[in-house]
Amino acid sequence: PRVDAAPAPQKFVNIMAIPFDELRATAKKLSTPGKGFLASDESAGPWLRAGHVEAKKIPDTAENRARYRSLCFTAPGLSEYISGVILHWETLFQKDADGNAMVDLIKNAGIIPGIKLDKGYDKSGLPGTAIGPLGHAETWCKGIDDLEKRAAEAYAQGARFAKWRNVLQIDPAQGLPSDLAIEEAVNNLACYAAICQRQGLVPIVEPEIVPNGSHSIQVCAAVTEKVLIAQYSALKLHNVFLEGAVLKPNMVKNGLGGTKASPDEVASATVTALLRTVPAANPGIFFLSGETTLDEDNEETATINLNAMNKMFPSLPWHLSFSYGKALQKTAIVTWMGKDENKAAAQQALVNRAKANSEATKGTYVAGSCKSIGAEGNVQMQGGAY
Protein backbone atom coordinates (compact mmCIF):
# COMPACT_ATOMS: atom_id res chain seq x y z
CA PRO A 1 0.00 0.00 0.00
CA ARG A 2 1.08 3.57 -0.68
CA VAL A 3 2.57 5.39 2.31
CA ASP A 4 1.68 9.08 2.41
CA ALA A 5 4.47 11.52 3.04
CA ALA A 6 4.91 12.59 6.63
CA PRO A 7 3.25 15.92 7.44
CA ALA A 8 5.50 18.96 7.47
CA PRO A 9 6.81 19.70 10.97
CA GLN A 10 5.05 22.52 12.79
CA LYS A 11 7.07 25.69 12.97
CA PHE A 12 7.86 26.90 16.48
CA VAL A 13 9.22 30.17 17.76
CA ASN A 14 12.93 30.02 18.51
CA ILE A 15 12.45 30.52 22.22
CA MET A 16 16.09 29.71 22.90
CA ALA A 17 16.99 33.14 21.50
CA ILE A 18 14.98 34.90 24.22
CA PRO A 19 16.72 35.49 27.61
CA PHE A 20 13.69 34.63 29.75
CA ASP A 21 15.45 34.63 33.14
CA GLU A 22 17.11 37.99 32.55
CA LEU A 23 13.89 39.58 31.32
CA ARG A 24 11.91 38.25 34.27
CA ALA A 25 14.53 39.49 36.75
CA THR A 26 14.69 42.96 35.20
CA ALA A 27 10.89 43.32 35.08
CA LYS A 28 10.67 42.21 38.70
CA LYS A 29 13.27 44.76 39.77
CA LEU A 30 11.54 47.51 37.80
CA SER A 31 8.31 46.55 39.59
CA THR A 32 9.82 46.80 43.08
CA PRO A 33 7.10 47.80 45.59
CA GLY A 34 7.14 51.53 46.28
CA LYS A 35 9.08 52.43 43.15
CA GLY A 36 8.25 53.81 39.71
CA PHE A 37 9.85 55.35 36.61
CA LEU A 38 11.26 58.77 35.86
CA ALA A 39 10.38 59.48 32.22
CA SER A 40 13.37 61.52 31.05
CA ASP A 41 12.98 60.80 27.35
CA GLU A 42 11.92 64.18 25.98
CA SER A 43 13.46 64.93 22.59
CA ALA A 44 13.99 68.55 23.62
CA GLY A 45 14.62 70.17 26.98
CA PRO A 46 12.02 68.88 29.48
CA TRP A 47 11.28 72.46 30.48
CA LEU A 48 9.58 72.97 27.10
CA ARG A 49 7.07 70.24 27.99
CA ALA A 50 6.66 71.32 31.61
CA GLY A 51 3.89 73.70 30.55
CA HIS A 52 5.19 76.62 32.63
CA VAL A 53 5.53 80.19 31.38
CA GLU A 54 8.92 80.84 32.99
CA ALA A 55 10.47 77.40 32.51
CA LYS A 56 10.05 77.52 28.75
CA LYS A 57 12.50 80.44 28.64
CA ILE A 58 15.47 78.20 29.55
CA PRO A 59 17.62 77.85 26.40
CA ASP A 60 17.21 74.43 24.82
CA THR A 61 20.80 73.37 24.21
CA ALA A 62 22.55 69.99 24.49
CA GLU A 63 24.67 71.45 27.30
CA ASN A 64 21.61 72.54 29.30
CA ARG A 65 19.90 69.21 28.72
CA ALA A 66 22.98 67.42 30.05
CA ARG A 67 23.23 69.77 33.05
CA TYR A 68 19.61 69.25 34.01
CA ARG A 69 19.53 65.50 33.47
CA SER A 70 22.74 64.87 35.39
CA LEU A 71 21.18 66.94 38.20
CA CYS A 72 18.24 64.54 38.22
CA PHE A 73 20.26 61.33 37.98
CA THR A 74 22.54 62.31 40.88
CA ALA A 75 19.78 63.52 43.21
CA PRO A 76 20.55 62.04 46.65
CA GLY A 77 18.01 59.42 47.68
CA LEU A 78 16.23 59.19 44.31
CA SER A 79 16.79 55.43 44.05
CA GLU A 80 14.63 54.88 47.13
CA TYR A 81 11.61 55.74 44.98
CA ILE A 82 12.72 55.29 41.34
CA SER A 83 13.52 51.88 39.84
CA GLY A 84 14.08 52.94 36.23
CA VAL A 85 14.84 56.03 34.15
CA ILE A 86 13.64 56.22 30.53
CA LEU A 87 16.19 58.01 28.36
CA HIS A 88 16.17 59.69 24.98
CA TRP A 89 18.74 58.36 22.48
CA GLU A 90 20.84 61.53 22.96
CA THR A 91 21.07 60.99 26.71
CA LEU A 92 21.95 57.29 26.40
CA PHE A 93 25.28 58.31 24.85
CA GLN A 94 25.72 61.65 26.61
CA LYS A 95 28.21 62.62 29.31
CA ASP A 96 27.99 65.22 32.06
CA ALA A 97 30.32 68.20 32.39
CA ASP A 98 32.87 66.04 34.27
CA GLY A 99 32.98 63.39 31.57
CA ASN A 100 30.82 60.83 33.37
CA ALA A 101 28.47 58.81 31.16
CA MET A 102 24.81 59.47 32.00
CA VAL A 103 24.18 55.72 31.98
CA ASP A 104 26.88 55.26 34.63
CA LEU A 105 25.38 58.01 36.81
CA ILE A 106 22.08 56.11 36.74
CA LYS A 107 23.58 52.67 37.36
CA ASN A 108 25.81 53.97 40.16
CA ALA A 109 22.68 55.29 41.86
CA GLY A 110 21.17 51.79 41.80
CA ILE A 111 18.62 52.62 39.09
CA ILE A 112 18.05 50.77 35.80
CA PRO A 113 18.57 52.74 32.56
CA GLY A 114 15.92 52.44 29.85
CA ILE A 115 15.57 53.82 26.35
CA LYS A 116 12.78 55.34 24.22
CA LEU A 117 12.88 53.50 20.90
CA ASP A 118 9.90 54.72 18.90
CA LYS A 119 10.62 57.49 16.38
CA GLY A 120 7.34 59.34 16.83
CA TYR A 121 4.58 59.55 14.29
CA ASP A 122 3.82 61.32 11.04
CA LYS A 123 0.79 63.58 11.42
CA SER A 124 -0.37 62.67 7.92
CA GLY A 125 -1.40 59.47 9.66
CA LEU A 126 -3.22 56.40 8.44
CA PRO A 127 -4.79 56.92 5.02
CA GLY A 128 -8.56 57.10 5.15
CA THR A 129 -8.82 57.86 8.87
CA ALA A 130 -10.62 60.86 10.32
CA ILE A 131 -9.00 63.89 11.91
CA GLY A 132 -9.34 63.66 15.67
CA PRO A 133 -9.15 66.14 18.55
CA LEU A 134 -5.35 66.41 18.20
CA GLY A 135 -5.96 68.04 14.82
CA HIS A 136 -4.57 65.22 12.69
CA ALA A 137 -5.52 61.78 11.42
CA GLU A 138 -5.08 58.57 13.40
CA THR A 139 -1.47 57.43 13.64
CA TRP A 140 1.07 54.81 14.55
CA CYS A 141 4.74 55.24 15.48
CA LYS A 142 7.70 54.75 13.18
CA GLY A 143 10.94 52.87 13.85
CA ILE A 144 10.27 49.16 13.41
CA ASP A 145 12.45 48.88 10.31
CA ASP A 146 15.77 49.35 12.15
CA LEU A 147 14.58 48.48 15.66
CA GLU A 148 16.59 45.27 15.96
CA LYS A 149 19.84 47.18 15.41
CA ARG A 150 18.94 50.05 17.73
CA ALA A 151 17.76 47.71 20.49
CA ALA A 152 21.05 45.81 20.33
CA GLU A 153 23.01 49.08 20.47
CA ALA A 154 20.97 50.30 23.44
CA TYR A 155 21.58 47.05 25.33
CA ALA A 156 25.33 47.29 24.63
CA GLN A 157 25.29 50.85 25.99
CA GLY A 158 23.69 49.70 29.26
CA ALA A 159 19.93 50.00 28.74
CA ARG A 160 17.90 47.10 30.12
CA PHE A 161 14.37 48.16 29.27
CA ALA A 162 12.69 50.15 26.51
CA LYS A 163 9.64 52.25 25.76
CA TRP A 164 7.43 52.59 22.69
CA ARG A 165 4.31 54.74 22.65
CA ASN A 166 1.41 54.78 20.24
CA VAL A 167 -1.31 57.43 20.40
CA LEU A 168 -5.04 56.83 20.02
CA GLN A 169 -7.68 59.58 19.91
CA ILE A 170 -11.29 59.55 21.13
CA ASP A 171 -14.10 61.14 19.16
CA PRO A 172 -17.36 59.17 19.50
CA ALA A 173 -19.08 61.18 16.75
CA GLN A 174 -16.48 60.02 14.23
CA GLY A 175 -16.03 56.53 15.62
CA LEU A 176 -12.53 57.21 16.95
CA PRO A 177 -10.48 55.31 17.71
CA SER A 178 -11.25 53.28 14.61
CA ASP A 179 -10.75 49.52 14.54
CA LEU A 180 -8.01 50.10 11.97
CA ALA A 181 -6.09 52.48 14.23
CA ILE A 182 -6.40 50.11 17.19
CA GLU A 183 -5.14 47.15 15.14
CA GLU A 184 -2.21 49.11 13.78
CA ALA A 185 -1.29 50.49 17.21
CA VAL A 186 -1.41 47.23 19.18
CA ASN A 187 0.36 45.12 16.56
CA ASN A 188 3.04 47.76 16.12
CA LEU A 189 3.59 47.70 19.89
CA ALA A 190 3.59 43.90 20.02
CA CYS A 191 6.17 43.65 17.23
CA TYR A 192 8.38 46.15 19.07
CA ALA A 193 7.99 44.20 22.32
CA ALA A 194 9.00 40.91 20.71
CA ILE A 195 12.08 42.45 19.08
CA CYS A 196 13.14 44.09 22.35
CA GLN A 197 12.88 40.84 24.26
CA ARG A 198 15.04 39.07 21.70
CA GLN A 199 17.68 41.74 22.40
CA GLY A 200 17.39 41.46 26.19
CA LEU A 201 15.32 44.60 26.80
CA VAL A 202 12.14 44.55 28.90
CA PRO A 203 9.55 46.39 26.79
CA ILE A 204 7.25 49.04 28.20
CA VAL A 205 4.07 48.69 26.14
CA GLU A 206 2.33 52.07 25.92
CA PRO A 207 -0.96 52.34 24.04
CA GLU A 208 -1.91 55.85 25.14
CA ILE A 209 -5.47 57.06 24.70
CA VAL A 210 -5.05 60.82 24.90
CA PRO A 211 -7.54 62.94 26.92
CA ASN A 212 -8.06 65.55 24.22
CA GLY A 213 -11.76 65.95 23.49
CA SER A 214 -14.98 66.42 25.47
CA HIS A 215 -15.91 62.77 26.06
CA SER A 216 -17.08 61.37 29.39
CA ILE A 217 -15.13 59.08 31.70
CA GLN A 218 -17.52 56.27 30.71
CA VAL A 219 -16.50 56.59 27.06
CA CYS A 220 -12.82 56.53 28.02
CA ALA A 221 -13.41 53.40 30.12
CA ALA A 222 -15.06 51.56 27.23
CA VAL A 223 -12.31 52.56 24.79
CA THR A 224 -9.55 51.65 27.26
CA GLU A 225 -10.99 48.17 27.77
CA LYS A 226 -11.32 47.64 24.02
CA VAL A 227 -7.74 48.74 23.37
CA LEU A 228 -6.20 46.68 26.18
CA ILE A 229 -8.08 43.53 25.12
CA ALA A 230 -6.68 44.03 21.63
CA GLN A 231 -3.22 44.80 23.01
CA TYR A 232 -2.87 41.60 25.01
CA SER A 233 -4.27 39.57 22.13
CA ALA A 234 -1.56 41.07 19.90
CA LEU A 235 1.15 40.39 22.49
CA LYS A 236 0.04 36.76 22.56
CA LEU A 237 0.07 36.58 18.77
CA HIS A 238 3.64 37.91 18.72
CA ASN A 239 4.76 35.45 21.42
CA VAL A 240 5.70 38.18 23.89
CA PHE A 241 6.80 36.89 27.30
CA LEU A 242 4.42 38.71 29.66
CA GLU A 243 6.52 38.14 32.79
CA GLY A 244 9.28 40.09 31.05
CA ALA A 245 7.24 43.11 29.96
CA VAL A 246 5.33 45.94 31.65
CA LEU A 247 2.38 48.13 30.70
CA LYS A 248 2.21 51.94 30.58
CA PRO A 249 -1.43 52.90 30.07
CA ASN A 250 -3.44 56.07 30.40
CA MET A 251 -5.62 56.53 33.45
CA VAL A 252 -9.34 56.33 32.69
CA LYS A 253 -10.46 59.96 32.85
CA ASN A 254 -12.87 62.34 31.21
CA GLY A 255 -11.76 64.32 28.17
CA LEU A 256 -10.17 67.68 28.87
CA GLY A 257 -13.40 69.38 27.80
CA GLY A 258 -15.73 66.91 29.50
CA THR A 259 -17.41 66.77 32.91
CA LYS A 260 -14.63 66.40 35.46
CA ALA A 261 -14.46 63.09 37.31
CA SER A 262 -13.27 62.90 40.92
CA PRO A 263 -10.08 61.02 41.93
CA ASP A 264 -12.21 58.19 43.35
CA GLU A 265 -14.15 57.93 40.08
CA VAL A 266 -10.89 57.89 38.11
CA ALA A 267 -9.48 55.23 40.43
CA SER A 268 -12.54 52.99 40.25
CA ALA A 269 -12.92 53.23 36.48
CA THR A 270 -9.20 52.74 35.83
CA VAL A 271 -8.66 49.70 38.04
CA THR A 272 -11.91 48.11 36.87
CA ALA A 273 -10.75 48.40 33.25
CA LEU A 274 -7.36 46.92 34.13
CA LEU A 275 -8.81 44.01 36.11
CA ARG A 276 -10.96 43.12 33.11
CA THR A 277 -8.10 43.17 30.60
CA VAL A 278 -4.57 42.81 32.00
CA PRO A 279 -3.30 39.29 32.83
CA ALA A 280 -1.87 38.67 36.28
CA ALA A 281 1.35 37.46 34.62
CA ASN A 282 2.14 41.10 33.86
CA PRO A 283 4.38 42.23 36.77
CA GLY A 284 3.82 45.97 36.69
CA ILE A 285 1.58 48.76 35.44
CA PHE A 286 3.14 52.22 35.30
CA PHE A 287 0.75 55.05 34.48
CA LEU A 288 1.55 58.03 32.35
CA SER A 289 0.26 61.19 33.98
CA GLY A 290 -1.56 62.49 30.90
CA GLU A 291 -2.33 66.05 29.95
CA THR A 292 -4.47 68.13 32.34
CA THR A 293 -6.40 71.38 32.07
CA LEU A 294 -4.49 74.63 32.62
CA ASP A 295 -6.18 75.23 35.96
CA GLU A 296 -4.92 71.93 37.40
CA ASP A 297 -1.72 71.12 39.27
CA ASN A 298 -0.44 68.29 37.06
CA GLU A 299 1.96 66.90 39.67
CA GLU A 300 -0.51 66.80 42.54
CA THR A 301 -3.38 65.49 40.37
CA ALA A 302 -1.28 62.55 39.11
CA THR A 303 -0.17 61.65 42.63
CA ILE A 304 -3.67 61.88 44.09
CA ASN A 305 -5.19 59.71 41.35
CA LEU A 306 -2.56 57.01 41.83
CA ASN A 307 -3.02 57.15 45.58
CA ALA A 308 -6.79 56.73 45.27
CA MET A 309 -6.31 53.56 43.20
CA ASN A 310 -3.98 51.89 45.66
CA LYS A 311 -6.05 53.00 48.65
CA MET A 312 -9.31 51.67 47.17
CA PHE A 313 -7.71 48.50 45.77
CA PRO A 314 -4.93 47.42 48.16
CA SER A 315 -4.57 43.86 46.79
CA LEU A 316 -4.01 43.79 43.05
CA PRO A 317 -2.28 41.16 40.89
CA TRP A 318 0.31 43.64 39.61
CA HIS A 319 2.43 46.50 40.96
CA LEU A 320 0.40 49.66 40.26
CA SER A 321 2.80 52.58 39.94
CA PHE A 322 3.93 55.64 37.98
CA SER A 323 6.00 56.53 34.93
CA TYR A 324 5.84 60.30 35.07
CA GLY A 325 7.75 62.99 33.23
CA LYS A 326 6.29 66.43 33.76
CA ALA A 327 4.35 65.19 36.81
CA LEU A 328 7.65 64.37 38.55
CA GLN A 329 9.80 67.20 37.25
CA LYS A 330 7.75 70.36 36.95
CA THR A 331 8.52 71.85 40.36
CA ALA A 332 12.14 70.71 40.07
CA ILE A 333 12.50 72.47 36.69
CA VAL A 334 10.94 75.72 37.90
CA THR A 335 13.14 75.58 41.00
CA TRP A 336 16.28 75.05 38.88
CA MET A 337 15.62 77.55 36.06
CA GLY A 338 19.01 76.77 34.52
CA LYS A 339 21.02 78.13 37.49
CA ASP A 340 23.74 76.03 39.15
CA GLU A 341 23.09 77.64 42.52
CA ASN A 342 19.60 76.11 42.48
CA LYS A 343 20.82 72.55 41.87
CA ALA A 344 20.42 71.20 45.42
CA ALA A 345 16.95 72.70 45.84
CA ALA A 346 15.85 71.32 42.46
CA GLN A 347 17.16 67.87 43.35
CA GLN A 348 15.23 67.98 46.61
CA ALA A 349 12.04 68.98 44.80
CA LEU A 350 12.43 65.99 42.46
CA VAL A 351 13.05 63.57 45.32
CA ASN A 352 10.12 64.99 47.29
CA ARG A 353 7.70 64.37 44.42
CA ALA A 354 9.18 60.90 43.79
CA LYS A 355 8.63 60.13 47.48
CA ALA A 356 5.03 61.39 47.25
CA ASN A 357 4.37 59.04 44.35
CA SER A 358 6.04 56.19 46.21
CA GLU A 359 3.57 56.80 49.02
CA ALA A 360 0.79 56.83 46.42
CA THR A 361 1.76 53.31 45.32
CA LYS A 362 0.90 52.27 48.88
CA GLY A 363 -2.24 54.41 49.19
CA THR A 364 -0.72 56.47 52.00
CA TYR A 365 -0.11 59.86 50.36
CA VAL A 366 -1.70 62.82 52.14
CA ALA A 367 -2.98 65.37 49.63
CA GLY A 368 -1.03 68.63 49.77
CA SER A 369 1.82 67.22 51.82
CA CYS A 370 4.30 67.57 48.94
CA LYS A 371 4.97 71.16 47.92
CA SER A 372 4.54 71.88 44.21
CA ILE A 373 4.65 74.89 41.91
CA GLY A 374 0.90 74.48 41.48
CA ALA A 375 -1.19 75.65 38.55
CA GLU A 376 0.06 79.25 38.58
CA GLY A 377 2.07 79.97 35.44
CA ASN A 378 0.59 77.02 33.52
CA VAL A 379 0.71 77.33 29.74
CA GLN A 380 0.05 74.88 26.94
CA MET A 381 3.04 72.57 26.76
CA GLN A 382 5.16 72.73 23.63
CA GLY A 383 5.13 69.74 21.31
CA GLY A 384 1.50 68.78 21.74
CA ALA A 385 0.70 65.17 22.57
CA TYR A 386 4.13 63.87 21.67
Side-chain angles (χ1 to χ4, degrees):
R2 183 174 65 88
V3 178
D4 291 327
Q10 185 176 355
K11 294 181 179 180
F12 291 97
V13 178
N14 180 15
I15 62 172
M16 300 304 292
I18 301 174
F20 291 104
D21 290 344
E22 181 184 1
L23 292 168
R24 188 197 304 269
T26 300
K28 183 177 180 181
K29 188 173 181 181
L30 288 171
S31 303
T32 298
K35 295 188 180 185
F37 299 157
L38 168 60
S40 186
D41 58 331
E42 304 91 349
S43 57
W47 45 90
L48 296 178
R49 294 187 61 81
H52 190 272
V53 66
E54 293 300 321
K56 71 176 185 177
K57 297 177 182 177
I58 301 171
D60 184 25
T61 64
E63 179 185 8
N64 276 344
R65 292 193 294 271
R67 287 173 61 222
Y68 173 73
R69 284 171 173 149
S70 63
L71 171 161
C72 292
F73 306 155
T74 58
L78 187 66
S79 63
E80 292 181 45
Y81 316 112
I82 299 295
S83 60
V85 175
I86 309 169
L87 302 175
H88 187 269
W89 195 258
E90 173 189 79
T91 318
L92 183 67
F93 295 90
Q94 201 170 36
K95 295 182 179 181
D96 68 6
D98 297 322
N100 301 302
M102 295 291 183
V103 169
D104 290 339
L105 295 179
I106 295 166
K107 291 194 290 187
N108 291 342
I111 301 172
I112 302 173
I115 180 66
K116 171 188 180 292
L117 286 175
D118 71 74
K119 292 183 176 180
Y121 60 75
D122 185 337
K123 290 184 179 180
S124 61
L126 289 165
T129 59
I131 294 176
L134 288 176
H136 56 70
E138 296 183 289
T139 62
W140 79 105
C141 272
K142 300 176 291 184
I144 289 291
D145 52 348
D146 64 346
L147 178 59
E148 195 94 46
K149 176 178 178 290
R150 292 186 294 118
E153 290 172 352
Y155 186 94
Q157 186 65 14
R160 290 298 178 266
F161 71 106
K163 174 196 143 177
W164 187 290
R165 171 179 178 257
N166 273 327
V167 168
L168 291 162
Q169 306 177 68
I170 293 179
D171 185 345
Q174 298 197 82
L176 301 186
S178 67
D179 290 344
L180 172 61
I182 292 172
E183 281 298 305
E184 289 286 346
V186 300
N187 279 292
N188 177 261
L189 280 163
C191 181
Y192 136 82
I195 292 171
C196 282
Q197 289 191 334
R198 186 159 60 191
Q199 294 300 332
L201 300 174
V202 168
I204 297 175
V205 177
E206 184 178 356
E208 181 186 1
I209 302 160
V210 294
N212 304 72
S214 57
H215 52 273
S216 67
I217 188 173
Q218 291 83 5
V219 168
C220 183
V223 171
T224 299
E225 284 189 34
K226 182 177 182 178
V227 169
L228 291 178
I229 288 169
Q231 185 64 76
Y232 279 93
S233 177
L235 292 172
K236 179 67 174 177
L237 183 65
H238 286 255
N239 298 294
V240 172
F241 177 51
L242 293 188
E243 290 84 349
V246 297
L247 178 69
K248 182 173 179 176
N250 54 280
M251 297 181 188
V252 175
K253 300 190 289 187
N254 56 276
L256 295 175
T259 302
K260 185 173 176 58
S262 70
D264 283 356
E265 290 172 321
V266 170
S268 178
T270 301
V271 176
T272 297
L274 295 172
L275 285 170
R276 290 173 175 173
T277 58
V278 181
N282 176 82
I285 296 174
F286 299 84
F287 291 106
L288 56 95
S289 61
E291 188 62 7
T292 53
T293 56
L294 294 181
D295 61 349
E296 283 187 90
D297 179 345
N298 176 267
E299 290 177 305
E300 186 74 356
T301 296
T303 304
I304 288 173
N305 284 339
L306 179 62
N307 186 74
M309 294 179 210
N310 284 295
K311 186 174 183 179
M312 293 173 67
F313 299 90
S315 299
L316 292 168
W318 358 258
H319 176 50
L320 203 61
S321 189
F322 58 94
S323 178
Y324 295 163
K326 177 171 69 174
L328 269 176
Q329 302 177 75
K330 187 172 182 177
T331 296
I333 289 169
V334 177
T335 301
W336 176 60
M337 289 302 295
K339 299 177 181 178
D340 290 338
E341 60 266 30
N342 295 336
K343 176 180 176 180
Q347 288 178 320
Q348 191 60 58
L350 175 65
V351 172
N352 288 348
R353 183 52 64 177
K355 179 176 183 287
N357 283 297
S358 174
E359 292 170 353
T361 68
K362 306 167 188 175
T364 60
Y365 177 68
V366 177
S369 61
C370 180
K371 183 180 178 182
S372 73
I373 197 67
E376 185 176 352
N378 275 1
V379 292
Q380 192 73 29
M381 70 177 183
Q382 293 185 29
Y386 200 85

